[in-house]
Amino acid sequence: MKGFHYFQPTEIDFGCGRLNGVGAAVSRWGKRCLLVTVPEFPEFSVLYIKVKDLLKASGVAVAHFDGVIPNPTTDVITAGARLAKEHRADVVLGLGGGSSMDAAKAIAVEASHPGTAWDYLFFREKQPTAATLPIVIVTTTSGTGSQVTQVAVITNPAEKNKSALYNSLLYPRTSIVDPELVRTAPPSVTASTGFDVFAHAFESYIHPAGSAYTDLMALEALRLVSRCLPKAVADGDDLEARTSMAWADTLAGLCIANSGVTLPHGIGMAMSGLYPHVAHGRALAAVYPAMMRFTWQAAENRFAAVARILDPTLQPLDDREAARRSGEAVDRLLKEIHLWTSLADLGIPEAEVRRLAEASLVLPDYKNHPKVVTLDEVVHLLNLSYRAQPEEA
Ligand code: NAD
């Protein structure tokens, strides 16, 4: 067995009703909290009141920054950091999906350091220091795994670039994963975030930095997604399916924090940098069918294992045949969750395919894909993903 290093400092409080512990969790790290969320909407208004009440009951003074947008931008982070400083916040609570969680992480950096969060991206010399405000998370989607990662994804609209802070100081101190909170997510959000869980587990499973530890979690996450994501999409009140997806999301997050993501996430990041209206999971869904067909020969046993999880009728086949059919197995999942899509459906101009391909090779994720692509190969993959999905790639 290959040796590995595994690190995970986040305390996880998992289960229905665990939201009730938010006041106690936050007050361990600070007494002046910046609450970071998207603007109020009907499904969340009671939640916001409840969280603020729980914080106040634990002696925590709250300022509420409710300016987060999906794929949060650098100006959103700056506005949040300004309020954090005005409030003299000593802890940041991110409440919501990946956009709110990542905004909270980036605000925790910008509010405590000179310059902006964008100055502290993963590849820069300047990195967050111990001054970073402690981060507590309450997640409301089952998708990004951000509740247990050291990553904050943010978008710079001026540069049309989506990139990430990546630093151990961004691991949340405490994360509350309460599946009750995901119940209100509509089917389209459930499907696109749930497919992100699939992609995290799958990509960490085929990643060279994967280990026996992350494989164990990735395979369990894939089994849970295969069994429960269609149920959660069909019936948002199916609490058993919601709980399984919340656990799969957390497992897949633990995987990416220690292994990583590969080519599809590189393309997905580029896509939402250039076209911020595209939901992260939807971007992944558009490229997965072609990517599976393009890659399976480079990691046959891994693609075969995943194909058999998605489609148990492939069990009797040998690795080569099961792996060859892994694309069909993903097609079936995407159709079942009504996420079968293409770049054209996402409104991406066909003339910009090459530009998107170039942007897909900016982040290093593609270098960890089992088959390392050239620019022309990404163009080919994106052309295949443009309209009808391919039979072979
Ligand atoms: P999101 O946070 O953007 O939420 C999508 C939409 O669903 C929003 O309109 C939100 O208000 C709504 N929503 C969220 N929870 C809801 C609920 N319970 N009920 C009703 N509506 C709800 O979506 P996301 O997929 O969770 O996050 C996407 C962001 O996370 C992207 O910026 C992506 O790049 C990033 N990301 C981060 C990591 C990481 O490790 N930090 C990993 C993957 C993706």
Side-chain angles (χ1 to χ4, degrees), residues 100-180:
S100 301
M101 295 189 269
D102 287 7
K105 291 175 178 180
I107 288 168
V109 172
E110 187 163 323
S112 52
H113 291 77
T116 68
W118 196 253
D119 300 332
Y120 297 85
L121 295 179
F122 71 96
F123 56 85
R124 300 209 201 277
E125 207 173 307
K126 229 180 348 172
Q127 284 299 307
T129 68
T132 304
L133 298 178
I135 300 152
V136 177
I137 290 293
V138 175
T139 179
T140 66
T141 55
S142 294
T144 66
S146 182
Q147 68 272 21
V148 290
T149 74
Q150 67 282 59
V151 182
V153 180
I154 53 174
T155 298
N156 185 326
E159 295 182 13
K160 282 190 171 279
N161 188 7
K162 188 174 185 182
S163 193
L165 290 89
Y166 182 101
N167 192 289
S168 292
L169 292 160
L170 297 189
Y171 277 110
R173 306 293 175 103
T174 304
S175 273
I176 294 177
V177 185
D178 184 338
E180 288 271 8

Side-chain angles (χ1 to χ4, degrees), residues 345-370:
D345 290 342
L346 299 181
I348 293 168
E350 195 164 6
E352 292 184 17
V353 161
R354 195 165 186 89
R355 182 182 181 210
L356 174 57
E358 283 164 359
S360 301
L361 302 185
V362 170
L363 290 175
D365 301 323
Y366 78 97
K367 293 182 190 159
N368 293 313
H369 200 63

Side-chain angles (χ1 to χ4, degrees), residues 49-126:
I49 292 168
K50 182 171 180 180
V51 167
K52 286 189 235 181
D53 285 349
L54 287 164
L55 291 171
K56 283 176 199 152
S58 292
V60 177
V62 193
H64 186 177
F65 175 69
D66 65 355
V68 177
I69 55 169
N71 295 325
T73 51
T74 39
D75 39 335
V76 164
I77 306 308
T78 296
R82 194 179 310 124
L83 183 56
K85 286 188 242 180
E86 279 166 21
H87 182 59
R88 290 178 289 110
D90 51 11
V91 57
V92 180
L93 171 63
L95 166 67
S99 298
S100 301
M101 295 189 269
D102 287 7
K105 291 175 178 180
I107 288 168
V109 172
E110 187 163 323
S112 52
H113 291 77
T116 68
W118 196 253
D119 300 332
Y120 297 85
L121 295 179
F122 71 96
F123 56 85
R124 300 209 201 277
E125 207 173 307
K126 229 180 348 172

Side-chain angles (χ1 to χ4, degrees), residues 38 41 43-44 69-72 96-102 105 140-141 143-146 149 151-153 162 181-186 189 193 196 200 256 265 269 272 280:
V38 295
F41 59 103
E43 289 85 347
F44 270 15
I69 55 169
N71 295 325
S99 298
S100 301
M101 295 189 269
D102 287 7
K105 291 175 178 180
T140 66
T141 55
T144 66
S146 182
T149 74
V151 182
V153 180
K162 188 174 185 182
L181 306 182
V182 193
R183 266 176 123 145
T184 48
V189 171
T193 52
D196 196 18
H200 290 157
I256 52 170
H265 261 80
M269 289 281 284
S272 31
H280 179 63

Side-chain angles (χ1 to χ4, degrees), residues 373-392:
V373 283
T374 62
L375 176 60
D376 284 343
E377 283 171 328
V378 190
V379 171
H380 172 65
L381 265 178
L382 295 178
N383 279 329
L384 287 169
S385 306
Y386 200 79
R387 271 190 199 88
Q389 296 290 341
E391 285 306 317
E392 288 295 336

